[in-house]
PDB file of all heavy atoms in Angstrom:
ATOM      1  N   MET S   1     -22.960  -2.048 -13.069  1.00 57.00           N
ATOM      2  CA  MET S   1     -22.473  -0.698 -12.791  1.00 57.00           C
ATOM      3  C   MET S   1     -21.010  -0.581 -13.193  1.00 57.00           C
ATOM      4  O   MET S   1     -20.194  -1.439 -12.860  1.00 57.00           O
ATOM      5  CB  MET S   1     -22.636  -0.388 -11.297  1.00 57.00           C
ATOM      6  CG  MET S   1     -22.106   0.988 -10.886  1.00 57.00           C
ATOM      7  SD  MET S   1     -22.387   1.320  -9.136  1.00 57.00           S
ATOM      8  CE  MET S   1     -21.386   0.041  -8.361  1.00 57.00           C
ATOM      9  N   ARG S   3     -17.633   0.667 -12.556  1.00 88.00           N
ATOM     10  CA  ARG S   3     -16.918   1.207 -11.416  1.00 88.00           C
ATOM     11  C   ARG S   3     -15.632   1.891 -11.851  1.00 88.00           C
ATOM     12  O   ARG S   3     -15.028   1.542 -12.852  1.00 88.00           O
ATOM     13  CB  ARG S   3     -16.581   0.105 -10.411  1.00 88.00           C
ATOM     14  CG  ARG S   3     -17.773  -0.435  -9.647  1.00 88.00           C
ATOM     15  CD  ARG S   3     -17.292  -1.285  -8.484  1.00 88.00           C
ATOM     16  NE  ARG S   3     -18.428  -1.710  -7.676  1.00 88.00           N
ATOM     17  CZ  ARG S   3     -19.086  -2.835  -7.854  1.00 88.00           C
ATOM     18  NH1 ARG S   3     -18.718  -3.654  -8.821  1.00 88.00           N
ATOM     19  NH2 ARG S   3     -20.103  -3.148  -7.082  1.00 88.00           N
ATOM     20  N   PHE S   5     -11.813   2.326 -10.718  1.00 96.00           N
ATOM     21  CA  PHE S   5     -10.832   1.663  -9.871  1.00 96.00           C
ATOM     22  C   PHE S   5      -9.610   2.544  -9.680  1.00 96.00           C
ATOM     23  O   PHE S   5      -9.075   3.124 -10.634  1.00 96.00           O
ATOM     24  CB  PHE S   5     -10.387   0.331 -10.490  1.00 96.00           C
ATOM     25  CG  PHE S   5     -11.425  -0.759 -10.397  1.00 96.00           C
ATOM     26  CD1 PHE S   5     -12.259  -1.029 -11.474  1.00 96.00           C
ATOM     27  CD2 PHE S   5     -11.582  -1.500  -9.231  1.00 96.00           C
ATOM     28  CE1 PHE S   5     -13.214  -2.021 -11.403  1.00 96.00           C
ATOM     29  CE2 PHE S   5     -12.542  -2.496  -9.145  1.00 96.00           C
ATOM     30  CZ  PHE S   5     -13.357  -2.758 -10.238  1.00 96.00           C
ATOM     31  N   HIS S  30     -15.192   2.375  -1.716  1.00 94.00           N
ATOM     32  CA  HIS S  30     -14.783   1.190  -0.968  1.00 94.00           C
ATOM     33  C   HIS S  30     -13.268   1.161  -0.926  1.00 94.00           C
ATOM     34  O   HIS S  30     -12.598   1.315  -1.948  1.00 94.00           O
ATOM     35  CB  HIS S  30     -15.273  -0.107  -1.612  1.00 94.00           C
ATOM     36  CG  HIS S  30     -14.603  -1.323  -1.019  1.00 94.00           C
ATOM     37  ND1 HIS S  30     -14.998  -1.864   0.189  1.00 94.00           N
ATOM     38  CD2 HIS S  30     -13.535  -2.055  -1.441  1.00 94.00           C
ATOM     39  CE1 HIS S  30     -14.212  -2.883   0.483  1.00 94.00           C
ATOM     40  NE2 HIS S  30     -13.316  -3.029  -0.495  1.00 94.00           N
ATOM     41  N   ALA S  31     -12.715   0.959   0.272  1.00 91.00           N
ATOM     42  CA  ALA S  31     -11.264   0.839   0.435  1.00 91.00           C
ATOM     43  C   ALA S  31     -10.998  -0.038   1.645  1.00 91.00           C
ATOM     44  O   ALA S  31     -11.774  -0.049   2.607  1.00 91.00           O
ATOM     45  CB  ALA S  31     -10.621   2.216   0.619  1.00 91.00           C
ATOM     46  N   GLY S  32      -9.900  -0.776   1.612  1.00 86.00           N
ATOM     47  CA  GLY S  32      -9.570  -1.643   2.734  1.00 86.00           C
ATOM     48  C   GLY S  32      -8.087  -1.954   2.771  1.00 86.00           C
ATOM     49  O   GLY S  32      -7.293  -1.393   2.008  1.00 86.00           O
ATOM     50  N   MET S  33      -7.695  -2.871   3.647  1.00 80.00           N
ATOM     51  CA  MET S  33      -6.308  -3.280   3.761  1.00 80.00           C
ATOM     52  C   MET S  33      -5.903  -4.099   2.531  1.00 80.00           C
ATOM     53  O   MET S  33      -6.729  -4.379   1.653  1.00 80.00           O
ATOM     54  CB  MET S  33      -6.116  -4.121   5.025  1.00 80.00           C
ATOM     55  CG  MET S  33      -7.018  -5.335   5.085  1.00 80.00           C
ATOM     56  SD  MET S  33      -6.689  -6.420   6.482  1.00 80.00           S
ATOM     57  CE  MET S  33      -5.309  -7.367   5.812  1.00 80.00           C
ATOM     58  N   GLY S  35      -5.376  -6.837  -0.034  1.00 86.00           N
ATOM     59  CA  GLY S  35      -6.237  -7.974  -0.302  1.00 86.00           C
ATOM     60  C   GLY S  35      -5.631  -8.922  -1.319  1.00 86.00           C
ATOM     61  O   GLY S  35      -4.436  -8.835  -1.640  1.00 86.00           O
ATOM     62  N   PRO S  36      -6.433  -9.821  -1.867  1.00 90.00           N
ATOM     63  CA  PRO S  36      -5.907 -10.878  -2.738  1.00 90.00           C
ATOM     64  C   PRO S  36      -5.659 -10.477  -4.181  1.00 90.00           C
ATOM     65  O   PRO S  36      -5.060 -11.243  -4.942  1.00 90.00           O
ATOM     66  CB  PRO S  36      -7.021 -11.932  -2.672  1.00 90.00           C
ATOM     67  CG  PRO S  36      -8.269 -11.127  -2.469  1.00 90.00           C
ATOM     68  CD  PRO S  36      -7.870  -9.977  -1.584  1.00 90.00           C
ATOM     69  N   MET S  37      -6.089  -9.290  -4.584  1.00 92.00           N
ATOM     70  CA  MET S  37      -6.057  -8.962  -6.003  1.00 92.00           C
ATOM     71  C   MET S  37      -4.643  -8.844  -6.575  1.00 92.00           C
ATOM     72  O   MET S  37      -4.383  -9.244  -7.709  1.00 92.00           O
ATOM     73  CB  MET S  37      -6.838  -7.672  -6.254  1.00 92.00           C
ATOM     74  CG  MET S  37      -8.328  -7.818  -6.069  1.00 92.00           C
ATOM     75  SD  MET S  37      -9.033  -9.041  -7.195  1.00 92.00           S
ATOM     76  CE  MET S  37      -8.760  -8.230  -8.766  1.00 92.00           C
ATOM     77  N   GLY S  69     -11.210  -8.292 -16.163  1.00 92.00           N
ATOM     78  CA  GLY S  69     -12.377  -9.011 -15.661  1.00 92.00           C
ATOM     79  C   GLY S  69     -12.185  -9.553 -14.263  1.00 92.00           C
ATOM     80  O   GLY S  69     -13.155  -9.771 -13.524  1.00 92.00           O
ATOM     81  N   LEU S  70     -10.930  -9.771 -13.879  1.00 92.00           N
ATOM     82  CA  LEU S  70     -10.634 -10.223 -12.527  1.00 92.00           C
ATOM     83  C   LEU S  70     -11.169  -9.225 -11.503  1.00 92.00           C
ATOM     84  O   LEU S  70     -11.750  -9.609 -10.482  1.00 92.00           O
ATOM     85  CB  LEU S  70      -9.115 -10.378 -12.382  1.00 92.00           C
ATOM     86  CG  LEU S  70      -8.568 -11.063 -11.142  1.00 92.00           C
ATOM     87  CD1 LEU S  70      -9.019 -12.517 -11.086  1.00 92.00           C
ATOM     88  CD2 LEU S  70      -7.041 -10.991 -11.143  1.00 92.00           C
ATOM     89  N   PHE S  71     -11.007  -7.949 -11.779  1.00 93.00           N
ATOM     90  CA  PHE S  71     -11.495  -6.907 -10.874  1.00 93.00           C
ATOM     91  C   PHE S  71     -13.020  -6.852 -10.892  1.00 93.00           C
ATOM     92  O   PHE S  71     -13.655  -6.745  -9.840  1.00 93.00           O
ATOM     93  CB  PHE S  71     -10.923  -5.550 -11.273  1.00 93.00           C
ATOM     94  CG  PHE S  71      -9.458  -5.406 -11.005  1.00 93.00           C
ATOM     95  CD1 PHE S  71      -8.516  -5.837 -11.922  1.00 93.00           C
ATOM     96  CD2 PHE S  71      -9.009  -4.849  -9.812  1.00 93.00           C
ATOM     97  CE1 PHE S  71      -7.166  -5.720 -11.675  1.00 93.00           C
ATOM     98  CE2 PHE S  71      -7.660  -4.729  -9.552  1.00 93.00           C
ATOM     99  CZ  PHE S  71      -6.733  -5.163 -10.486  1.00 93.00           C
ATOM    100  N   ASP S  72     -13.597  -6.908 -12.079  1.00 90.00           N
ATOM    101  CA  ASP S  72     -15.057  -6.843 -12.185  1.00 90.00           C
ATOM    102  C   ASP S  72     -15.722  -8.014 -11.468  1.00 90.00           C
ATOM    103  O   ASP S  72     -16.796  -7.872 -10.875  1.00 90.00           O
ATOM    104  CB  ASP S  72     -15.471  -6.845 -13.660  1.00 90.00           C
ATOM    105  CG  ASP S  72     -14.976  -5.614 -14.401  1.00 90.00           C
ATOM    106  OD1 ASP S  72     -14.876  -4.543 -13.766  1.00 90.00           O
ATOM    107  OD2 ASP S  72     -14.671  -5.719 -15.604  1.00 90.00           O
ATOM    108  N   THR S  73     -15.071  -9.173 -11.517  1.00 92.00           N
ATOM    109  CA  THR S  73     -15.631 -10.365 -10.878  1.00 92.00           C
ATOM    110  C   THR S  73     -15.478 -10.311  -9.363  1.00 92.00           C
ATOM    111  O   THR S  73     -16.425 -10.596  -8.612  1.00 92.00           O
ATOM    112  CB  THR S  73     -14.948 -11.635 -11.419  1.00 92.00           C
ATOM    113  OG1 THR S  73     -15.114 -11.685 -12.842  1.00 92.00           O
ATOM    114  CG2 THR S  73     -15.559 -12.882 -10.806  1.00 92.00           C
ATOM    115  N   TYR S  74     -14.284  -9.961  -8.901  1.00 92.00           N
ATOM    116  CA  TYR S  74     -14.057  -9.918  -7.453  1.00 92.00           C
ATOM    117  C   TYR S  74     -14.925  -8.845  -6.799  1.00 92.00           C
ATOM    118  O   TYR S  74     -15.553  -9.088  -5.767  1.00 92.00           O
ATOM    119  CB  TYR S  74     -12.580  -9.661  -7.170  1.00 92.00           C
ATOM    120  CG  TYR S  74     -12.268  -9.606  -5.687  1.00 92.00           C
ATOM    121  CD1 TYR S  74     -12.218 -10.766  -4.917  1.00 92.00           C
ATOM    122  CD2 TYR S  74     -12.053  -8.387  -5.043  1.00 92.00           C
ATOM    123  CE1 TYR S  74     -11.943 -10.729  -3.562  1.00 92.00           C
ATOM    124  CE2 TYR S  74     -11.774  -8.339  -3.679  1.00 92.00           C
ATOM    125  CZ  TYR S  74     -11.723  -9.501  -2.944  1.00 92.00           C
ATOM    126  OH  TYR S  74     -11.460  -9.453  -1.606  1.00 92.00           O
ATOM    127  N   TYR S  75     -14.932  -7.655  -7.390  1.00 92.00           N
ATOM    128  CA  TYR S  75     -15.752  -6.576  -6.845  1.00 92.00           C
ATOM    129  C   TYR S  75     -17.137  -6.628  -7.489  1.00 92.00           C
ATOM    130  O   TYR S  75     -17.545  -5.745  -8.223  1.00 92.00           O
ATOM    131  CB  TYR S  75     -15.075  -5.228  -7.087  1.00 92.00           C
ATOM    132  CG  TYR S  75     -13.830  -5.038  -6.253  1.00 92.00           C
ATOM    133  CD1 TYR S  75     -12.564  -5.130  -6.821  1.00 92.00           C
ATOM    134  CD2 TYR S  75     -13.917  -4.800  -4.884  1.00 92.00           C
ATOM    135  CE1 TYR S  75     -11.414  -4.974  -6.047  1.00 92.00           C
ATOM    136  CE2 TYR S  75     -12.780  -4.655  -4.100  1.00 92.00           C
ATOM    137  CZ  TYR S  75     -11.535  -4.742  -4.693  1.00 92.00           C
ATOM    138  OH  TYR S  75     -10.405  -4.598  -3.920  1.00 92.00           O
ATOM    139  N   GLY S  76     -17.827  -7.725  -7.220  1.00 88.00           N
ATOM    140  CA  GLY S  76     -19.142  -7.965  -7.789  1.00 88.00           C
ATOM    141  C   GLY S  76     -20.249  -7.314  -6.987  1.00 88.00           C
ATOM    142  O   GLY S  76     -20.061  -6.278  -6.337  1.00 88.00           O
ATOM    143  N   PRO S  77     -21.429  -7.933  -6.990  1.00 83.00           N
ATOM    144  CA  PRO S  77     -22.604  -7.327  -6.334  1.00 83.00           C
ATOM    145  C   PRO S  77     -22.459  -7.162  -4.832  1.00 83.00           C
ATOM    146  O   PRO S  77     -23.236  -6.430  -4.214  1.00 83.00           O
ATOM    147  CB  PRO S  77     -23.735  -8.310  -6.679  1.00 83.00           C
ATOM    148  CG  PRO S  77     -23.054  -9.588  -7.056  1.00 83.00           C
ATOM    149  CD  PRO S  77     -21.752  -9.201  -7.661  1.00 83.00           C
ATOM    150  N   GLU S  78     -21.464  -7.834  -4.227  1.00 87.00           N
ATOM    151  CA  GLU S  78     -21.252  -7.662  -2.786  1.00 87.00           C
ATOM    152  C   GLU S  78     -20.772  -6.254  -2.446  1.00 87.00           C
ATOM    153  O   GLU S  78     -20.858  -5.818  -1.301  1.00 87.00           O
ATOM    154  CB  GLU S  78     -20.220  -8.675  -2.267  1.00 87.00           C
ATOM    155  CG  GLU S  78     -20.609 -10.127  -2.464  1.00 87.00           C
ATOM    156  CD  GLU S  78     -20.123 -10.689  -3.788  1.00 87.00           C
ATOM    157  OE1 GLU S  78     -19.760  -9.909  -4.694  1.00 87.00           O
ATOM    158  OE2 GLU S  78     -20.102 -11.915  -3.920  1.00 87.00           O
ATOM    159  N   TYR S  79     -20.266  -5.571  -3.439  1.00 88.00           N
ATOM    160  CA  TYR S  79     -19.719  -4.223  -3.246  1.00 88.00           C
ATOM    161  C   TYR S  79     -20.603  -3.217  -3.975  1.00 88.00           C
ATOM    162  O   TYR S  79     -20.750  -3.265  -5.199  1.00 88.00           O
ATOM    163  CB  TYR S  79     -18.290  -4.131  -3.776  1.00 88.00           C
ATOM    164  CG  TYR S  79     -17.329  -5.040  -3.057  1.00 88.00           C
ATOM    165  CD1 TYR S  79     -17.167  -6.370  -3.464  1.00 88.00           C
ATOM    166  CD2 TYR S  79     -16.587  -4.597  -1.970  1.00 88.00           C
ATOM    167  CE1 TYR S  79     -16.291  -7.219  -2.801  1.00 88.00           C
ATOM    168  CE2 TYR S  79     -15.699  -5.428  -1.303  1.00 88.00           C
ATOM    169  CZ  TYR S  79     -15.569  -6.737  -1.728  1.00 88.00           C
ATOM    170  OH  TYR S  79     -14.695  -7.574  -1.075  1.00 88.00           O
ATOM    171  N   ALA S  81     -20.139   0.117  -3.855  1.00 91.00           N
ATOM    172  CA  ALA S  81     -19.425   1.377  -4.078  1.00 91.00           C
ATOM    173  C   ALA S  81     -19.230   1.660  -5.555  1.00 91.00           C
ATOM    174  O   ALA S  81     -19.013   0.755  -6.364  1.00 91.00           O
ATOM    175  CB  ALA S  81     -18.067   1.340  -3.380  1.00 91.00           C
ATOM    176  N   VAL S  84     -13.734   2.144  -6.263  1.00 96.00           N
ATOM    177  CA  VAL S  84     -13.040   1.116  -5.483  1.00 96.00           C
ATOM    178  C   VAL S  84     -11.549   1.420  -5.442  1.00 96.00           C
ATOM    179  O   VAL S  84     -10.931   1.705  -6.473  1.00 96.00           O
ATOM    180  CB  VAL S  84     -13.268  -0.285  -6.091  1.00 96.00           C
ATOM    181  CG1 VAL S  84     -12.342  -1.312  -5.442  1.00 96.00           C
ATOM    182  CG2 VAL S  84     -14.718  -0.703  -5.940  1.00 96.00           C
ATOM    183  N   PHE S  85     -10.977   1.354  -4.238  1.00 96.00           N
ATOM    184  CA  PHE S  85      -9.535   1.474  -4.050  1.00 96.00           C
ATOM    185  C   PHE S  85      -9.023   0.098  -3.629  1.00 96.00           C
ATOM    186  O   PHE S  85      -9.370  -0.395  -2.562  1.00 96.00           O
ATOM    187  CB  PHE S  85      -9.210   2.494  -2.948  1.00 96.00           C
ATOM    188  CG  PHE S  85      -9.622   3.902  -3.268  1.00 96.00           C
ATOM    189  CD1 PHE S  85     -10.938   4.307  -3.086  1.00 96.00           C
ATOM    190  CD2 PHE S  85      -8.704   4.832  -3.743  1.00 96.00           C
ATOM    191  CE1 PHE S  85     -11.341   5.608  -3.370  1.00 96.00           C
ATOM    192  CE2 PHE S  85      -9.085   6.129  -4.024  1.00 96.00           C
ATOM    193  CZ  PHE S  85     -10.406   6.519  -3.848  1.00 96.00           C
ATOM    194  N   ASP S  86      -8.205  -0.519  -4.469  1.00 95.00           N
ATOM    195  CA  ASP S  86      -7.634  -1.815  -4.133  1.00 95.00           C
ATOM    196  C   ASP S  86      -6.204  -1.611  -3.642  1.00 95.00           C
ATOM    197  O   ASP S  86      -5.427  -0.871  -4.240  1.00 95.00           O
ATOM    198  CB  ASP S  86      -7.634  -2.762  -5.327  1.00 95.00           C
ATOM    199  CG  ASP S  86      -7.238  -4.169  -4.923  1.00 95.00           C
ATOM    200  OD1 ASP S  86      -8.131  -4.936  -4.530  1.00 95.00           O
ATOM    201  OD2 ASP S  86      -6.030  -4.491  -4.978  1.00 95.00           O
ATOM    202  N   THR S  87      -5.851  -2.292  -2.554  1.00 95.00           N
ATOM    203  CA  THR S  87      -4.554  -2.091  -1.917  1.00 95.00           C
ATOM    204  C   THR S  87      -3.650  -3.294  -2.101  1.00 95.00           C
ATOM    205  O   THR S  87      -4.060  -4.434  -1.842  1.00 95.00           O
ATOM    206  CB  THR S  87      -4.736  -1.821  -0.412  1.00 95.00           C
ATOM    207  OG1 THR S  87      -5.558  -0.667  -0.229  1.00 95.00           O
ATOM    208  CG2 THR S  87      -3.396  -1.587   0.260  1.00 95.00           C
TER     209      THR S  87
END
Side-chain angles (χ1 to χ4, degrees):
M1 178 178 64
R3 289 192 175 92
F5 286 97
H30 167 79
M33 57 174 277
M37 290 300 294
L70 190 64
F71 290 86
D72 296 328
T73 302
Y74 180 75
Y75 290 105
E78 300 90 343
Y79 297 86
V84 169
F85 296 81
D86 189 87
T87 301

